[in-house]
Amino acid sequence: MADDYHHGNLRAAVLEKAAEVIGREGPYSFSLRSLALELGVSHTAPRHHFGSREGVLNALATEGFRELGDRLRANRDAGGDFLDAGVEYVRFATDHPAHFDVMFTPSLLGDGDEELNAARTAAFGELRAGVDSLADDDRGVEDAAAGMVAGWSIVHGVATLALTGNLDRSGLRDLFRDTDLLSITRRSAGLLFGPRTPSSPPQKE
Amino acid sequence: MADDYHHGNLRAAVLEKAAEVIGREGPYSFSLRSLALELGVSHTAPRHHFGSREGVLNALATEGFRELGDRLRANRDAGGDFLDAGVEYVRFATDHPAHFDVMFTPSLLGDGDEELNAARTAAFGELRAGVDSLADDDRGVEDAAAGMVAGWSIVHGVATLALTGNLDRSGLRDLFRDTDLLSITRRSAGLLFGPRTPSSPPQKE
DNA sequence: AGAATATCTTTACAGCGGTAACTTTCCACC
DNA sequence: GGTGGAAAGTTACCGCTGTAAAGATATTCT
């Protein structure tokens, strides 16, 4: 472990600080220079590890897609429901708000990063696998394609609206008193297909 | 009012160009200077109308919330369904992607802009009104609060995932061949509560 | 020990947003 | 019909930012 000249693990430190700053102030005010200053290195030091500002964001997104993919896979391996996968999706978003933000904001990212593209493809594969189960489920979803879009959209919507604070701003959040977001997610997404055992059908007739 | 000093209606021109640039490259690369250059005015000219860069984004968001609120109100006045309101929401997003982006990215905006806050509150009011009807609807939604969150989330999720290109990237988009996004929205959101009159369920593919 | 490499620093540069002081145009008023 | 003031736009400057190239230092490998 070097002390003076070499930071030690600058790459990890940059990613950590970047996630912290972006989580607090968003991806647009995030600056490499202020980050390097906080870490006690020169402002061009991160460039060696990431190439550019976009490189940092690419790395952050890659990290995020890997983690999300891992979680979805773990959920599936544990026999997790579609609903469980959705809740896991929102849990990831609240655990790593900065990652989530950057991952789904392509205008911040480059499209030539192979590691990023691979991680994203893998994560999207897990996502589809998790949501694909709807097709041969016993929930009676006829329009399978629409069901998948609905499933992904609803959890992505909850996560996005919550993280940006718009759920609070809308006043809808207050209807749940102090119910935590994951419970809200389960209740809301649960309306989509209803419980697996058809005790209470999702629609009227 | 001054209509052709050097430019004419700079304020409107700035907003239009800003929406164009942001729609194409995202809000990060949007720069007052390049914008002013394109419009043939000095880089400080927009400042007179908007105060700052953030002011331009605030104005864009305000414009967007007003338009969205108007559309939702019009839909309601025309006897529009909850589903119609959702489709209208997505239509607005695709019609004005830049506005939609800025509107729901509070880290780009200031929180002291009264016009913005008023427009947002009004639009959110319309949103709730549109989605509130679920409570005393004939669709048999028991958990009204969760229903509202689900309704908003699903259309917001569809809009966000589509606009950012992530729906395409995921491969889910291909399942619909060349169905347009609004039809996909109706089919997906329709799964939430089912049809009001149980005559024609959202068709299969 | 010595060379090679990875890591970080220094220095330089162009573009950006913000501010202040100034100029030009327009409009309303006496 | 001239005049004063407000509105709109300009120029000059500051500090901050990302990028780039070249030099310095630590680590690693032989």
Side-chain angles (χ1 to χ4, degrees):
Chain A
M1 275 264 233
D3 277 339
D4 268 25
Y5 200 90
H6 282 61
H7 176 276
N9 201 348
L10 183 58
R11 187 189 153 89
V14 165
L15 288 178
E16 187 179 356
K17 266 295 198 229
E20 182 189 321
V21 171
I22 293 175
R24 198 173 49 240
E25 309 168 21
Y28 301 106
S29 58
F30 150 70
S31 109
L32 276 184
R33 281 181 114 105
S34 68
L35 207 74
L37 187 69
E38 267 191 273
L39 291 172
V41 295
S42 85
H43 68 278
T44 54
R47 190 173 194 285
H48 189 265
H49 296 275
F50 300 99
S52 68
R53 184 192 132 106
E54 187 183 275
V56 177
L57 298 174
N58 281 343
L60 218 50
T62 304
E63 211 176 49
F65 277 120
R66 291 205 177 116
E67 168 83 10
L68 176 60
D70 287 349
R71 290 201 190 193
L72 292 179
R73 162 185 291 266
N75 174 74
R76 200 159 46 112
D77 288 348
D81 199 343
F82 152 76
L83 217 46
D84 298 322
V87 172
E88 202 56 36
Y89 190 93
V90 175
R91 190 198 311 276
F92 168 79
T94 57
D95 283 350
H96 303 289
H99 289 78
F100 186 81
D101 192 348
V102 174
M103 286 160 65
F104 291 99
T105 309
S107 62
L108 291 172
L109 308 171
D111 49 351
D113 189 317
E114 296 181 14
E115 282 193 90
L116 169 57
N117 291 332
R120 172 165 37 210
T121 301
F124 280 175
E126 289 295 332
L127 198 65
R128 267 195 67 165
V131 102
D132 245 333
S133 65
L134 286 170
D136 31 54
D137 206 323
D138 53 352
R139 288 193 179 83
V141 176
E142 299 166 8
D143 192 337
M148 299 189 219
V149 169
W152 188 17
S153 291
I154 201 169
V155 291
H156 190 80
V158 167
T160 301
L161 290 173
L163 286 187
T164 54
N166 286 304
L167 197 58
D168 295 331
R169 251 183 287 266
S170 73
L172 276 185
R173 183 66 174 81
D174 293 333
L175 298 180
F176 293 87
R177 323 209 19 133
D178 30 79
T179 309
D180 68 290
L181 185 65
L182 297 185
S183 303
I184 297 177
T185 300
R186 191 171 286 276
R187 276 166 61 181
S188 301
L191 293 177
L192 238 189
F193 307 109
R196 180 174 286 175
T197 55
S199 64
S200 74
Q203 58 200 44
K204 186 154 186 190
E205 280 265 343
Chain B
M1 292 304 151
D3 259 345
D4 51 68
Y5 169 29
H6 261 124
H7 182 275
N9 200 347
L10 183 59
R11 187 189 154 89
V14 165
L15 288 178
E16 188 180 353
K17 266 292 197 232
E20 180 189 322
V21 171
I22 293 176
R24 196 174 52 241
E25 309 168 21
Y28 176 72
S29 56
F30 150 69
S31 107
L32 274 185
R33 283 181 114 101
S34 67
L35 209 73
L37 187 69
E38 267 190 274
L39 291 172
V41 295
S42 81
H43 70 276
T44 54
R47 190 178 194 282
H48 199 82
H49 296 274
F50 301 99
S52 67
R53 183 190 132 108
E54 188 183 275
V56 177
L57 298 173
N58 281 344
L60 218 50
T62 303
E63 210 176 50
F65 277 120
R66 292 207 177 113
E67 169 83 11
L68 176 61
D70 287 349
R71 290 201 189 193
L72 292 180
R73 163 185 290 265
N75 174 75
R76 201 160 46 110
D77 288 348
D81 198 345
F82 152 77
L83 217 46
D84 298 321
V87 172
E88 202 55 36
Y89 190 92
V90 176
R91 191 199 311 275
F92 167 79
T94 56
D95 282 350
H96 303 290
H99 289 78
F100 187 81
D101 191 349
V102 175
M103 284 160 65
F104 291 99
T105 308
S107 63
L108 290 173
L109 308 171
D111 49 350
D113 189 317
E114 295 180 15
E115 282 193 89
L116 169 57
N117 290 331
R120 172 165 39 208
T121 300
F124 281 175
E126 289 296 332
L127 198 66
R128 266 195 67 165
V131 102
D132 244 335
S133 64
L134 286 169
D136 32 53
D137 205 323
D138 53 351
R139 289 192 178 85
V141 176
E142 299 165 8
D143 194 338
M148 299 187 218
V149 169
W152 187 18
S153 291
I154 201 169
V155 290
H156 190 81
V158 167
T160 301
L161 291 173
L163 286 187
T164 55
N166 286 303
L167 197 59
D168 295 332
R169 253 182 286 265
S170 73
L172 276 186
R173 183 65 174 84
D174 293 334
L175 298 180
F176 294 87
R177 321 205 22 130
D178 30 82
T179 308
D180 68 289
L181 184 64
L182 297 185
S183 302
I184 297 178
T185 301
R186 191 172 285 277
R187 276 166 60 180
S188 302
L191 293 177
L192 238 189
F193 309 107
R196 178 177 286 175
T197 59
S199 63
S200 70
Q203 76 225 1
K204 210 166 177 178
E205 158 85 0

